[in-house]
Amino acid sequence: MSAVVLALAAGAVIGVALGALGGGGSVLAVPALIYLLGFTPVAATTASLVIVTVTSATALSAHARDGHVRWRTGLLFAAAGVVPAMLGGALTGRLPAGALTAAFAVVAGTAAVRMLRPRAASESAVPVRPDRAAAAGAGLGAVTGVLGVGGGFLAVPALVSVLGMRMRDAVGTSLLVITVNSLAALAMRAGTADGLDWAVIGPFAGAAVLGAWDGKRLGAKVSGRALQRTFALVLLAVAAFMMIDAVV
């Protein structure tokens, strides 16, 4: 199977997850780029940021039209993560490939466990404490910068459980946070983008964008809990495989 066909298939799956869940799909981009398309861990995290930025920005516009983006809270959350994301992006090139893969596996496994045991969403909006938003945003930005993931799988639970946001608003707002953090991390990775295979990344990103639109429609029709559980099980298997690959 050609690299372009694999990129299209992987991009579509990731886009659907991102559109339906407001995050999580991007965490599969890195392993797909490494194991299906032969990217190095550093190149995969950089390429993933490109794909995530384009896809998240597209999905954000759709959620914003439906009124499910809390701009003020999202921008505060994202602003706190800009500097950590940039520092993390600069640090990535200095990490050994095995360490980067293992760290990614740990974060992916943690995300899967959180998805399998989600906290209850708030039925109504509550006042947001700026200090809690800033602390959660900074941590998310650091993860985005180092591992090249948008962080929606962490942003959505944080927006719901830490900031008391309704689930629909959390999904839309997380896409704003993902877009800002990914752009910040990319700004520090300009030197690692020169050797990327854009003939693969382009189709990957295009399929992800189209998949995100379908994912948004799917999220409105299918139980969010069922989608989350299915995705979490897949993610847990990927995390286990990556950890074994990193230590063997």
Side-chain angles (χ1 to χ4, degrees):
M1 189 177 295
S2 72
V4 172
V5 173
L6 287 172
L8 289 170
V13 171
I14 288 162
V16 168
L18 190 64
L21 302 175
S26 61
V27 78
L28 287 180
V30 171
L33 289 164
I34 293 174
Y35 298 110
L36 293 181
L37 300 169
F39 282 57
T40 66
V42 172
T45 55
T46 301
S48 174
L49 284 171
V50 174
I51 294 163
V52 168
T53 300
V54 173
T55 309
S56 298
T58 303
L60 172 63
S61 65
H63 284 268
R65 281 198 298 273
D66 292 341
H68 294 308
V69 178
R70 290 178 61 182
W71 294 95
R72 183 176 179 180
T73 302
L75 288 173
L76 172 63
F77 197 90
V82 167
V83 172
M86 295 178 74
L87 293 176
L91 174 66
T92 297
R94 303 175 183 273
L95 295 176
L100 193 60
T101 301
F104 190 96
V106 169
V107 170
T110 301
V113 172
R114 286 182 68 96
M115 286 182 178
L116 288 171
R117 296 188 304 173
R119 299 188 183 187
S122 299
E123 293 298 325
S124 58
V126 299
V128 175
R129 288 181 52 183
D131 57 333
R132 297 179 72 182
L140 180 63
V143 171
T144 299
V146 173
L147 299 180
V149 296
F153 58 90
L154 298 175
V156 172
L159 291 169
V160 170
S161 60
V162 177
L163 304 184
M165 195 175 290
R166 291 186 295 263
M167 180 58 73
R168 281 184 177 272
D169 290 346
V171 169
T173 304
S174 75
L175 292 166
L176 172 61
V177 177
I178 292 168
T179 302
V180 173
N181 283 346
S182 298
L183 284 171
L186 275 174
M188 298 301 293
R189 295 190 181 214
T192 66
D194 295 338
L196 295 181
D197 188 350
W198 294 101
V200 170
I201 295 173
F204 198 122
V209 167
L210 294 176
W213 289 96
D214 291 333
K216 182 179 178 295
R217 289 193 290 268
L218 179 65
K221 297 178 180 178
V222 181
S223 164
R225 176 64 174 147
L227 286 172
Q228 229 179 27
R229 179 176 290 275
T230 300
F231 183 83
L233 292 174
V234 173
L235 185 58
L236 196 60
V238 170
F241 177 81
M242 292 186 75
M243 181 59 74
I244 292 171
D245 183 57
V247 299
V248 173

